[in-house]
Amino acid sequence: MKGTTEPRGRTPGVDSARRALKILLLFSEERPGLSVEEIAQEVDISIPSAYRFLSLLREMELVEDNGDGTCSLSPRILLLARSAEKSLQIGKPLRPLIERLTRATGEAALVIQRVGDYATCVEICQTDNLIRLSFTPGQIMSLYRGAGPKVLLAAMGESWALRCFERLNPFPPQQEREAFLAEIAAITAQGWSKSAAEVDEGVWAVAAPIKIADKVVAALSVAGPQFRIDEQRADHILKEVLSSAAEASRTLTNRAG
């Protein structure tokens, strides 16, 4: 009998649609323009197939030719981006709160949300220190690395986490999967998570859940260089994060009500 950890299967009969979507997901801020050859190699299809998929995406006005042998996303994608942005508005009402949290801790404060099988930073307040975090709103992160993402993944439960691991490509290393699964109970019981050098080398972070009606909808995190955060500062930052996360939960619950 199949257990609850059975991985979600690939949707049958949609291979062509899957390849077209993979092509769209290849474009990024770092790679705004791609050639047919690059697309064919990345999606593992023939060049004639790549041309056919691009022809379809041009027909749907989702990509356009740049005139130099490459293509890029069309302005129509901005409509989808605006829709996604509206779904991530949870960070803006909390902006004053995270600014206060940054002042109270002397380190960057972030609001992180789960988007499918990943986490993303939706709001951040940086410090004036010379050494700052590289996080930016919209940045995609793994759910099993980093204090904030781990709070979000723990909230989904062990069975969901196991299915998530099965869906990820590349598949997470066994050591990292086991390490996270061992943390789930502690994160849930204590109501917070911490990490060191899990997302970026030399960066320490702590996070607590933000809830609406007892459902975790985001994580509030403070992160900074490990060399600046001794045990005493770490305890102070944890207390500030827990207090601010509780305030954020009340704020969002009242808005939802």
Side-chain angles (χ1 to χ4, degrees):
M1 182 172 62
K2 293 183 179 181
T4 57
T5 60
E6 182 74 8
R8 183 174 65 188
R10 288 160 62 94
T11 304
V14 293
D15 286 344
S16 291
R18 183 178 293 110
R19 291 190 182 100
L21 292 173
K22 281 184 175 180
I23 290 174
L24 288 176
L25 293 173
L26 289 178
F27 297 94
S28 66
E29 186 176 357
E30 293 76 22
R31 302 175 67 191
L34 295 168
S35 68
V36 174
E37 291 77 13
E38 288 174 319
I39 290 171
Q41 182 176 1
E42 293 280 351
V43 185
D44 194 22
I45 56 178
S46 67
I47 288 179
S49 293
Y51 273 113
R52 286 196 297 272
F53 282 118
L54 285 173
S55 178
L56 172 62
L57 294 173
R58 280 194 295 269
E59 176 189 331
M60 302 302 295
E61 298 181 356
L62 295 174
V63 301
E64 58 188 15
D65 293 323
N66 294 328
D68 60 357
T70 66
C71 58
S72 59
L73 297 177
S74 75
R76 188 170 187 180
I77 289 291
L78 293 175
L79 297 177
L80 300 177
R82 291 191 188 104
S83 176
E85 185 180 4
K86 287 185 177 180
S87 71
L88 298 174
Q89 289 298 307
I90 197 170
K92 295 193 180 302
L94 301 179
R95 182 69 192 182
L97 183 146
I98 67 169
E99 289 176 349
R100 293 199 305 271
L101 183 56
T102 294
R103 290 194 296 269
T105 61
E107 301 297 345
L110 310 84
V111 176
I112 298 170
Q113 280 190 277
R114 182 178 66 84
V115 180
D117 293 335
Y118 298 90
T120 185
C121 169
V122 298
E123 196 73 31
I124 184 170
C125 181
Q126 292 276 15
T127 68
D128 293 328
N129 295 317
L130 292 177
I131 299 178
R132 296 153 57 105
L133 294 185
S134 60
F135 288 105
T136 57
Q139 180 174 337
I140 298 297
M141 296 172 276
S142 161
L143 274 174
Y144 58 91
R145 291 177 184 160
K150 289 194 298 186
V151 162
L152 300 175
L153 185 52
M156 301 303 294
E158 182 175 333
S159 296
W160 193 95
L162 286 169
R163 293 194 297 271
C164 175
F165 291 151
E166 294 291 340
R167 293 192 294 267
L168 295 179
N169 184 17
F171 193 64
Q174 181 176 355
Q175 183 177 359
E176 290 191 78
R177 299 196 310 273
E178 292 177 350
F180 172 76
L181 293 173
E183 282 189 80
I184 283 184
I187 293 173
T188 303
Q190 68 196 14
W192 55 272
S193 175
K194 68 178 179 179
S195 64
E198 291 185 8
V199 178
D200 286 328
E201 187 67 30
V203 173
W204 176 94
V206 66
I210 298 173
K211 302 179 181 180
I212 297 179
D214 293 326
K215 179 182 179 181
V216 175
V217 296
L220 182 64
S221 179
V222 165
Q226 283 181 278
F227 73 85
R228 281 206 302 249
I229 304 172
D230 57 19
E231 186 175 348
Q232 184 176 359
R233 282 202 71 211
D235 289 341
H236 168 69
I237 291 172
L238 173 59
K239 291 177 183 178
E240 293 289 343
V241 167
L242 289 172
S243 175
S244 296
E247 181 182 347
S249 297
R250 291 192 297 269
T251 298
L252 294 179
T253 297
N254 291 337
R255 285 174 60 91

